[in-house]
Amino acid sequence: MNSPQRSSPARNNTEDFMSNFDPGLIHHVLLTDPTDFPNLTMSGKPRAKKTPTFTQHAHSVGFPMVSSGESSRMDDENGESAAAPTPQSREDQISQTMRRAFHDMVVQSLSSKDWGSLQQLILELHGEIRALIPRRTDLHNILNDEEIRNLRYPATTLDDDDADDDGSSNNSKYLELTVKAYLPHIIKAAMSLAQLESEDRSETTSAWIADARRVVESFTEGVTTDTIYIGGGGGGMKPLPYLVCSVTYLQIKAQMCRADVADFHLSRTLAPRIQALGVLYE
């Protein structure tokens, strides 16, 4: 009677390692020349070389900048004119519609003096940034979740007797309170993210930070406006959409950073090992 064949420890270890990856990725790596490893990506798609600016993100989610009297086009953070968007495919249009609906939902919550949805977005951003440095738990508390959770809308601050007939005084005060309460926390998250991004990715994050700091300074000095102008004053956004788009913009930046880190690890560490073990695996 023949005894059953036993897999060697080496083969078992190889199979355990290879089981972490999609077979398509393994096959692609095995066919790739080592000199081309830096071009490999986990997704199999080319690396997104162009990093979107905040203005471009706002357009992509259906919040185009409102024009000032000086310009009909908005200059982005790199000084480039953000001309009318190119025609979209039906798939892109559907995607934009869904993103706009989500942003509208959060903005509507803020308009109703409900800060919960914005708080949840910021907490999710904190989590995505922490995920970039999972082993550096000593740095995780730099972004304080409890401070966000404990922010409460001070209902007693606004006195209806002081409001104008159209309620504009109360509305301006509410915008001021909301921007001053949340934008500093969003800036803090952006600063942490910029330190983790590659140099080319961090440029647009730093540009957003510079604009956001000017906004905070403006509201701190008592200059409350119903339009926040971005990147040189060529156009702007209403304060509440600006807050929401800012958080979702930084979430996208964090996701791009995570993909960059994974791709770097693939090209430097994983791909050489996958190729070395490929013959034994196949």
Side-chain angles (χ1 to χ4, degrees):
M1 182 175 179
N2 295 328
S3 60
Q5 290 185 337
R6 295 182 179 179
S7 299
S8 67
R11 184 170 183 83
N12 287 337
N13 290 338
T14 297
E15 291 178 349
D16 288 343
F17 173 73
M18 293 295 199
S19 66
N20 294 306
F21 309 103
D22 180 81
L25 175 63
I26 295 174
H27 184 68
H28 185 50
V29 170
L30 294 178
L31 296 178
T32 300
D33 188 277
T35 58
D36 292 327
F37 281 172
N39 298 324
L40 291 171
T41 63
M42 282 291 191
S43 67
K45 301 178 181 178
R47 179 180 184 267
K49 294 183 179 180
K50 185 173 178 58
T51 306
T53 65
F54 175 72
T55 303
Q56 291 165 343
H57 170 69
H59 275 282
S60 75
V61 296
F63 280 103
M65 299 293 175
V66 296
S67 300
S68 70
E70 300 176 357
S71 174
S72 62
R73 298 192 300 181
M74 172 64 192
D75 289 341
D76 68 20
E77 295 88 332
N78 294 327
E80 300 174 353
S81 293
T86 55
Q88 296 178 311
S89 66
R90 182 170 180 80
E91 182 179 338
D92 288 339
Q93 290 175 346
I94 293 174
S95 176
Q96 184 186 63
T97 299
M98 293 178 65
R99 291 196 300 268
R100 174 62 193 252
F102 171 78
H103 284 72
D104 279 343
M105 179 185 68
V106 182
V107 171
Q108 183 58 46
S109 294
L110 287 174
S111 299
S112 302
K113 298 181 174 58
D114 178 2
W115 285 356
S117 296
L118 180 62
Q119 288 181 348
Q120 185 58 39
L121 275 181
I122 296 174
L123 294 175
E124 290 173 3
L125 173 61
H126 284 184
E128 288 177 306
I129 294 174
R130 291 190 188 104
L132 297 172
I133 45 172
R135 298 179 183 177
R136 292 299 306 274
T137 55
D138 56 312
L139 300 178
H140 287 185
N141 289 333
I142 291 178
L143 301 177
N144 194 318
D145 289 349
E146 287 305 308
E147 286 184 357
I148 302 299
R149 293 190 182 99
N150 291 334
L151 286 173
R152 293 290 183 271
Y153 172 64
T156 57
T157 301
L158 304 183
D159 188 347
D160 290 337
D161 294 336
D162 296 333
D164 297 334
D165 291 339
D166 61 358
S168 60
S169 178
N170 272 356
N171 185 59
S172 295
K173 188 63 177 177
Y174 173 66
L175 293 177
E176 177 186 346
L177 287 170
T178 305
V179 170
K180 288 167 67 174
Y182 284 98
L183 193 50
H185 290 284
I186 303 172
I187 291 173
K188 188 175 183 179
M191 292 173 63
S192 297
L193 175 60
Q195 295 178 31
L196 300 173
E197 292 179 297
S198 61
E199 185 175 354
D200 63 323
R201 299 284 196 216
S202 68
E203 289 179 0
T204 49
T205 306
S206 297
W208 178 87
I209 291 170
D211 272 329
R213 282 174 169 166
R214 285 193 289 269
V215 173
V216 171
E217 290 172 3
S218 173
F219 277 81
T220 301
E221 293 169 358
V223 183
T224 304
T225 175
D226 64 352
T227 303
I228 293 174
Y229 289 99
I230 314 298
M237 299 180 70
K238 303 297 183 183
L240 300 185
Y242 172 76
L243 289 176
V244 177
C245 283
S246 291
V247 181
T248 58
Y249 175 62
L250 295 173
Q251 287 180 323
I252 287 176
K253 295 297 299 294
Q255 292 160 12
M256 294 183 76
C257 183
R258 186 169 188 175
D260 287 344
V261 171
D263 293 342
F264 180 83
H265 186 49
L266 171 64
S267 65
R268 294 297 184 93
T269 305
L270 300 178
R273 186 177 178 188
I274 289 172
Q275 201 163 78
L277 297 175
V279 175
L280 179 60
Y281 178 71
E282 292 192 330

